[in-house]
Amino acid sequence: MNATTRLRWQAGHLVLDGLEAENERLSLRARLDLLERNKRGDLYLRWGLLGAGIEMKGKQRQWHLAGAREWFDGRPALLPADGAAGTAD
């Protein structure tokens, strides 16, 4: 399995953006904002020809099955692309 991500960590708050993990059968993409009490983010999982997207807002989950990859690719990034990712504050 190969995996990459950009991250920002502060006490009680982890942000993973651009998470990509895959092998020959499975692919995972994610943007996750994991604040202690308020977790949110987007997840895309592909297994063979099957793909699914999940939008998380607190305890709510919204599944995206038709056009899941396009839905995920259209979602905004959580971290700026200016190199601020990967820093620990």
Side-chain angles (χ1 to χ4, degrees):
M1 170 120 353
N2 295 317
T4 60
T5 193
R6 295 182 303 137
L7 69 92
R8 181 177 63 210
W9 177 78
Q10 297 173 330
H13 191 187
L14 175 64
V15 177
L16 299 170
D17 198 9
L19 174 64
E20 297 183 9
E22 58 187 294
N23 62 22
E24 53 279 345
R25 295 185 314 167
L26 181 69
S27 177
L28 171 71
R29 308 264 190 270
R31 295 178 196 93
L32 302 171
D33 185 348
L34 305 173
L35 185 60
E36 285 180 2
R37 291 193 175 112
N38 187 24
K39 295 168 180 48
R40 66 181 181 95
D42 303 316
L43 187 71
Y44 170 76
L45 178 65
R46 180 192 52 78
W47 181 47
L49 296 176
L50 302 174
I54 305 170
E55 181 178 357
M56 303 181 307
K57 291 181 184 174
K59 294 185 183 213
Q60 297 178 345
R61 305 291 183 266
Q62 174 72 43
W63 287 81
H64 299 269
L65 301 176
R69 179 63 189 259
E70 292 78 13
W71 165 81
F72 182 83
D73 289 344
R75 303 292 289 167
L78 297 176
L79 294 174
D82 65 1
T87 61
D89 299 337

